[in-house]
Amino acid sequence: MSQELVCPSHEDAKVASPEPPLLIVLSGPSGVGKDSVIEELKKTEANRHFVVTATTRSPRPGETNGVDYIFLDESTFLEMRQNHQLLESAQYSGRWYGVPRSQVSEALEAGKDVFLKIEVQGAETVRGLAPEAVLVFLAPGSFEELAQRLAQRRTEDSSELQRRLDIARREMEQVSRYDYCVVNRDGCLEQAVSDIEAIIIAEKCRVEPRKVRLE
Ligand code: 5GP
């Protein structure tokens, strides 16, 4: 009787022969759906860490400290920045945002793929600090879709909304600096998520794997 062959899943195969962990930067304009994509990516069993970044902006209704962000006052944030506890930091629409360095280095050391959800200036900084990071730009189906989505979520007043759209226009011009561009069309979240999973698989199949070192 012939024995049935069972192919290992990507995850099991990785346990047998671990590749170096990836640093994946997911970037793109506000309202494009980065959070929704991340929520889907969290559902797999994969060995991943999703960095909770720090900000000085106020929590929106429903946001939890330590889960959505580490919400800090400006002096605490600036102290962390001064003490090099942030891998990168940037101002966005008048507020500070930054990536706690320890979360990234500890997760990479533990062999986990690390995900950063940051805006475009931050992505550029991370590329300088870790040239082997994988930079993924999440783009809307169109600028009109983005404007509609931002308006519908009702988390910003009209002047903040306008500011975010102005920033988004500039951010969309930066797509050529990225390794990959994934389009998140209205109603097609699953497609965007599967494109990102495909990118991760392709990266894991590289003959010369990326080896992330933080400067
Ligand atoms: P929001 O206020 O909508 O949560 O975030 C505004 C923008 O800041 C989004 O594009 C978000 O991805 C980005 N962001 C969140 N955390 C960080 C961070 O630590 N560094 C940078 N550079 N951008 C961040």
Side-chain angles (χ1 to χ4, degrees):
M1 207 170 67
S2 69
Q3 212 179 346
E4 204 181 323
L5 283 174
V6 179
C7 301
S9 66
H10 285 294
E11 285 320 302
D12 291 345
K14 247 177 11 198
V15 171
S17 148
E19 305 93 4
L22 296 170
L23 177 58
I24 299 154
V25 178
L26 184 62
S27 197
S30 177
V32 75
K34 299 187 290 283
D35 288 309
S36 308
V37 164
I38 293 276
E39 282 314 306
E40 293 302 309
L41 292 172
K42 279 182 182 171
K43 289 181 183 166
T44 68
E45 300 285 296
N47 198 18
R48 296 176 173 170
H49 179 76
F50 297 86
V51 175
V52 181
T53 59
T55 184
T56 61
R57 84 151 162 75
S58 311
R60 294 181 187 135
E63 284 185 331
T64 307
N65 188 29
V67 176
D68 299 289
Y69 275 108
I70 301 164
F71 292 101
L72 300 175
D73 57 46
E74 190 156 315
S75 68
T76 311
F77 186 99
L78 293 177
E79 201 178 306
M80 282 181 78
R81 187 166 183 262
Q82 176 91 14
N83 295 337
H84 305 287
Q85 289 170 287
L86 299 175
L87 180 66
E88 71 77 40
S89 59
Q91 275 187 308
Y92 175 94
S93 196
R95 301 291 180 186
W96 282 104
Y97 294 81
V99 176
R101 184 185 293 275
S102 57
Q103 269 190 59
V104 178
S105 52
E106 284 166 20
L108 287 173
E109 267 166 39
K112 295 181 183 179
D113 292 330
V114 175
F115 289 77
L116 289 178
K117 182 199 66 171
I118 58 179
E119 51 66 73
V120 167
Q121 307 165 63
E124 190 72 19
T125 308
V126 172
R127 158 121 318 156
L129 295 169
E132 296 295 313
V134 181
L135 265 58
V136 180
F137 189 90
L138 194 65
S142 67
F143 196 80
E144 289 66 36
E145 267 186 30
L146 181 74
Q148 219 171 29
R149 234 185 272 171
L150 257 181
Q152 275 166 358
R153 74 179 193 187
R154 295 175 191 278
T155 46
E156 285 81 23
D157 62 27
S158 62
S159 61
E160 176 65 15
L161 191 73
Q162 194 49 54
R163 227 181 351 252
R164 284 181 179 238
L165 285 173
D166 293 343
I167 298 172
R169 253 184 226 287
R170 293 196 296 273
E171 289 185 324
M172 305 244 291
E173 287 164 10
Q174 305 297 316
V175 63
S176 63
R177 296 168 178 264
Y178 284 72
D179 298 307
Y180 298 97
C181 178
V182 169
V183 181
N184 185 25
R185 291 187 181 80
D186 269 353
C188 302
L189 177 65
E190 257 177 52
Q191 181 65 54
V193 173
S194 83
D195 286 358
I196 294 174
E197 293 288 10
I199 290 168
I200 295 168
I201 293 170
E203 287 291 337
K204 301 269 176 195
C205 293
R206 282 173 78 109
V207 173
E208 285 293 334
R210 296 176 188 253
K211 290 198 185 93
V212 180
R213 272 177 229 96
L214 298 178
E215 293 286 312

